[in-house]
Amino acid sequence: MTALLLCADPLAPARSRRADPHFAREAEAAALTAVIDHDALARGDVEEAVRRVPRDLGPAWYRGWMIGSDRYADLERALADRGCRLLTDAARYRRAHELPGWYEVFQGRTPASVWTAEPSDDWLAEAAARLGSAGAVVKDFVKSRKHEWATACHVPDLGDRAALRRVVDAFLDLQGEDLCGGVVLRAFEDFTGPEARVWWLDGAPAAVTAHPDTPGERVEPDLAGVGERVAALGCRFVTTDLVRRADGAWRVVEVGDGQVSDFPEDTEVRPLIEALSNA
Ligand SMILES: Nc1ncnc2c1ncn2[C@@H]1O[C@H](COP(=O)(O)OP(=O)(O)OP(=O)(O)O)[C@@H](O)[C@H]1O
Ligand SMILES: [Mg+2]
């Protein structure tokens, strides 16, 4: 039996084993669970983060809030010291969680992308030329500011260098300390309809859900060729978000580590959680 490590309820007493209500469905569906303190992990207190995990728990998946890749490596080590092995190791977590980790494997099925830690004017000019698209989308290695679409995410015309600079600077400003990795520019593609989130476990699609932004809008994506890419990535539990482009092609908008991908609010999570418990 594989354990599921959930985030502890931050409002519960310090020794409580209650899971954060956001992960109540997982807590209910899993046969064996333990909790970690996500706040403690985020501030670097990894010993405190794992204090409530029973010793010698054995193999485990994590299901919880996103974790930075370096912190995930800290977590992996601290858990190993207690006799608990994360089934996704830190290198594979980073590979699925951060765009530069998965981009090469999905190249051709996902919008063309370039990235840097230092988006100088020269770099932006070169990046715009390399993408060759009319417009672009700005994000960091993990997240965009899609809710500030016009000011900090979408660049309608890459030829307008001042506007590109403005959107990238607004993005950096809003991300602040939370910036993950660096800045990514992605060629804008004309997408239509809602995204489908496909949950891959050991190379097979274990579930297809709506994207959490559009719960209730579940679509059936064409997965031809995607499984091969997921297998090539070499991570056991990942998500791919797919959307149809105006020309009909199904595109991979992004890849994520399944442990930290969110479920839409109306999803029955039990089958997937049971599959994880038996993996
Ligand atoms: N290359 C692109 N062309 C057109 N639209 C895009 C492109 N990349 C992203 N988008 C739009 O912006 C949204 C956010 O992008 P993305 O999913 O990469 O960021 P995110 O902040 O990580 O979102 P999530 O909540 O899914 O984790 C997408 O759902 C899509 O609608
Ligand atoms: Mg997304």
Side-chain angles (χ1 to χ4, degrees), residues 4 8 16 22 34 38 40 45 48 51 72 75 84 91 94 99 113 158-160 171 187 190 203 219 224 236 267:
L4 202 59
S16 163
H22 189 78
H38 187 270
D45 189 352
E48 177 62 22
R51 202 166 50 82
Y72 188 92
L75 177 67
C84 174
R94 186 188 294 276
L99 183 141
S113 307
L158 278 172
D160 184 347
F171 173 76
D190 193 5
V219 284
R236 294 185 63 185
T267 302

Side-chain angles (χ1 to χ4, degrees), residues 139 142-144 146 195 197 211 213 241 253-254:
K139 63 182 294 183
V142 176
K143 276 285 173 189
S144 69
K146 62 190 172 190
E195 291 178 23
R197 177 159 287 182
H211 186 280
D213 290 349
D241 291 341
V253 185
E254 62 174 340

Side-chain angles (χ1 to χ4, degrees), residues 25-39:
R25 288 173 293 180
E26 282 93 332
E28 205 171 289
L32 178 61
T33 63
V35 293
I36 68 155
D37 184 335
H38 187 270
D39 293 343

Side-chain angles (χ1 to χ4, degrees), residues 5 120 145 187 234:
L5 298 176
S120 63
R145 304 289 309 194

